[in-house]
Amino acid sequence: MAYHQGYGGQGSKHRGRGPLVPPAPDPHQLFDDTSAGFPHAQGTPSSGIDMGFNTLLADPMANMAVAYGSSIASQSKDIVHKEIHRFMSVNRLKYFFAVDTAYVTKKLALLLFPYAHQNWEVRYSRDTPLTPRQDINAPDLYIPSMAFITYILLAGIALGLQQRFSPEVLGMCASTAFVWVIIEVLALLLSLYLVTVQSDLTPFDLLAYSGYKYVGMILAVLGGLLFGSDGYYVALAWTSCALMYFLARSLRMKLHPSLVPDGMGHPRGGGRGQTYVTLGAAACQPLIVYWLTFHLVR
């Protein structure tokens, strides 16, 4: 019994007081697992966010603000799309490239010999202008774009013959020719706005009319390369006069006076503004052509 009491009483108490032995670590484990000490740490923040979001949605003023903001965003999107389609519509752009070989041949002849042409009016079909292949008076962007590329190639040849060719000089020549046309289009748009001339001209129309000068620039540079400075000035004079006549007659048919009455009940003077814009646009052509070509001929 003494042995049993010592084993069941004091012996068991001695075993209860002993330190807890931790389990042997896994030799393949690199870091200790401490996630057991934080059983509810991950669930608490998400529940707080959900409660705040639900409270925000339950507020009627917040719902009204969200709906109003969505309405404004939708209206702004529609306005932006409308303006983009107004100025950069694909269908409108296709209209200016609807050409064929016969139209290109006749239009080039008209640009160089416009004095015998009689009817300058653009024809319409159900309030829609006919395509360039159907009407020689309709503006197009095919001839200006092809003439621009030809002018750059011809400028590279001229610079190469003069031992002045470099990619930087050719790039500067191309960018200068393009920027001048953009400046001319913007100046025409501003002039039409300032003189309150009522017109159906679009930026693409003005870009087409301004781009026709590249045809004259090509002939001027060719005259300079083949016949020297004398040939250059003769070609420059002929193409400049033809271009001024063509542009004056074409813009005259596209512009017309504004019929909006002024404060005294009389029609506003739009005829004078029409004349100023037409003559100003035509008079600038020789200056721009000379500025963009004189350095290519020596």
Side-chain angles (χ1 to χ4, degrees):
M1 293 298 294
Y3 174 78
H4 178 73
Q5 183 179 2
Y7 180 78
Q10 297 179 358
S12 61
K13 292 180 181 181
H14 178 72
R15 291 173 60 91
R17 293 192 187 101
L20 297 176
V21 179
D26 188 0
H28 300 285
Q29 185 175 357
L30 298 178
F31 301 97
D32 294 338
D33 186 9
T34 59
S35 61
F38 304 95
H40 303 287
Q42 297 180 356
T44 304
S46 61
S47 60
I49 294 176
D50 293 338
M51 292 178 61
F53 186 72
N54 293 332
T55 303
L56 179 63
L57 293 180
D59 189 357
M61 295 300 296
N63 292 333
M64 186 179 299
V66 172
Y68 184 70
S70 301
S71 177
I72 293 179
S74 178
Q75 293 177 2
S76 302
K77 182 180 178 180
D78 295 338
I79 293 175
V80 171
H81 286 175
K82 182 179 179 180
E83 293 298 325
I84 290 176
H85 285 292
R86 177 185 176 187
F87 292 100
M88 297 297 294
S89 176
V90 177
N91 294 330
R92 184 184 296 271
L93 193 60
K94 287 181 179 179
Y95 165 84
F96 291 94
F97 286 92
V99 301
D100 54 11
T101 305
Y103 167 81
V104 173
T105 304
K106 294 179 181 179
K107 194 62 172 243
L108 290 176
L110 179 61
L111 290 173
L112 298 178
F113 306 98
Y115 309 107
H117 191 63
Q118 298 297 327
N119 185 15
W120 293 87
E121 186 177 359
V122 177
R123 294 183 296 172
Y124 285 79
S125 175
R126 296 180 180 179
D127 297 334
T128 302
L130 296 179
T131 59
R133 69 165 62 97
Q134 298 171 329
D135 184 11
I136 192 175
N137 295 322
D140 72 284
L141 288 175
Y142 176 81
I143 292 178
S145 59
M146 293 297 103
F148 176 76
I149 297 174
T150 305
Y151 163 73
I152 299 304
L153 296 177
L154 192 61
I157 295 175
L159 293 174
L161 294 177
Q162 301 172 13
Q163 304 298 324
R164 296 189 296 124
F165 176 80
S166 66
E168 293 78 10
V169 175
L170 188 61
M172 182 63 66
C173 182
S175 60
T176 302
F178 181 74
V179 168
W180 268 108
V181 171
I182 299 300
I183 293 176
E184 183 180 355
V185 171
L186 295 178
L188 286 174
L189 290 174
L190 181 61
S191 301
L192 294 176
Y193 174 77
L194 292 179
V195 300
T196 63
V197 173
Q198 189 178 14
S199 171
D200 58 351
L201 284 172
T202 64
F204 285 140
D205 293 326
L206 296 178
L207 184 62
Y209 287 124
S210 300
Y212 286 136
K213 69 169 58 66
Y214 293 127
V215 177
M217 292 164 59
I218 292 173
L219 294 180
V221 175
L222 278 177
L225 293 178
L226 296 178
F227 305 103
S229 59
D230 294 336
Y232 166 75
Y233 285 110
V234 170
L236 178 65
W238 178 267
T239 56
S240 297
C241 293
L243 184 60
M244 286 191 299
Y245 186 84
F246 169 82
L247 198 60
R249 294 300 300 269
S250 298
L251 291 181
R252 182 174 176 270
M253 300 304 300
K254 301 288 288 187
L255 301 176
H256 54 86
S258 175
L259 300 178
V260 180
D262 57 9
M264 301 298 295
H266 301 286
R268 292 180 179 179
R272 184 174 298 179
Q274 170 195 353
T275 304
Y276 288 159
V277 173
T278 303
L279 295 180
C284 290
Q285 302 307 310
L287 300 178
I288 299 177
V289 172
Y290 175 76
W291 178 258
L292 296 176
T293 56
F294 80 98
H295 63 282
L296 300 176
V297 178
R298 290 185 178 179

